Amino acid sequence: NDVLRIRAENVEGVNVGFKIGQRVRFVDALYAMLLPSGNDAALAVAQNYPGGEGEFVEKMNEKAKILNLVNTNFADSIGLEDSQDYTTPLDLTRLASAALENKIFANIVATKEIEISDLTGANKYLLKNLNRLLGVSGVNGIKTGTTTEAGQVLVTSKEEVNSSGNKHTLIIVVM
């Protein structure tokens, strides 16, 4: 239920179009971050964290250690510091598996399209998931991404049912 204040606009990379001073619900910022890869939304989350973006990045790295992401480092909240942000397919798999345990996250990354707005309702944003595989053969998430050094990256999840009728979630990472 937290409300975030937008403190920067025209951030490097993809922008949803938030303007300085707008207030948005935290969950809507998550949709903006995770569907169209809105860097302005990611920065808003970090800037509204107690202690600001620097403290947020520190917490990201602390969480990476807790999740045993031994070959991962975060240098910024958006993921554009290619020389200092790094990970591996195994670490992305571990991160995805942990993230999917959060039902809000799982629902967001499984969403194909949603309209959000700022708190006033005057500014509306139609968000479309960039994962073209979403909804195909059990694919139910997770995230696409591209940077100059990393190139195109896809972390996806797919629900499968085995011959015994048990459901399993597969995590597929392409870098």
Side-chain angles (χ1 to χ4, degrees), residues 93-158:
T93 303
R94 288 178 175 148
L95 178 59
S97 181
L100 286 173
E101 291 178 15
N102 181 301
K103 297 298 179 203
I104 294 170
F105 176 86
N107 287 334
I108 290 171
V109 298
T111 301
K112 284 189 174 195
E113 183 178 292
I114 191 170
E115 184 177 82
I116 64 165
S117 68
D118 64 0
L119 283 186
T120 68
N123 300 289
K124 298 183 185 312
Y125 306 92
L126 180 62
L127 308 176
K128 295 182 181 185
N129 198 315
L130 298 178
N131 186 349
R132 293 186 203 152
L133 297 174
L134 193 61
V136 177
S137 300
V139 172
N140 57 3
I142 294 178
K143 185 79 185 76
T144 65
T146 304
T147 66
T148 303
E149 293 223 356
Q152 295 179 337
V153 176
L154 174 65
V155 179
T156 196
S157 58
K158 180 181 189 317

Side-chain angles (χ1 to χ4, degrees), residues 1-4 24-33 44-46 48 56 104 108:
N1 294 322
D2 286 355
V3 173
L4 308 179
V24 298
R25 293 182 322 141
F26 177 73
V27 70
D28 289 337
L30 291 178
Y31 275 103
M33 240 173 41
V45 169
N48 281 269
F56 186 82
I104 294 170
I108 290 171

Side-chain angles (χ1 to χ4, degrees), residues 57 60-61 64-65 69-76 81 83-88 91:
V57 173
M60 290 171 65
N61 285 306
K65 286 179 182 153
L69 309 182
V70 296
N71 295 301
T72 295
N73 184 69
F74 301 106
D76 69 318
E81 290 291 332
S83 65
Q84 297 174 30
D85 286 318
Y86 56 85
T87 193
T88 64
D91 280 4

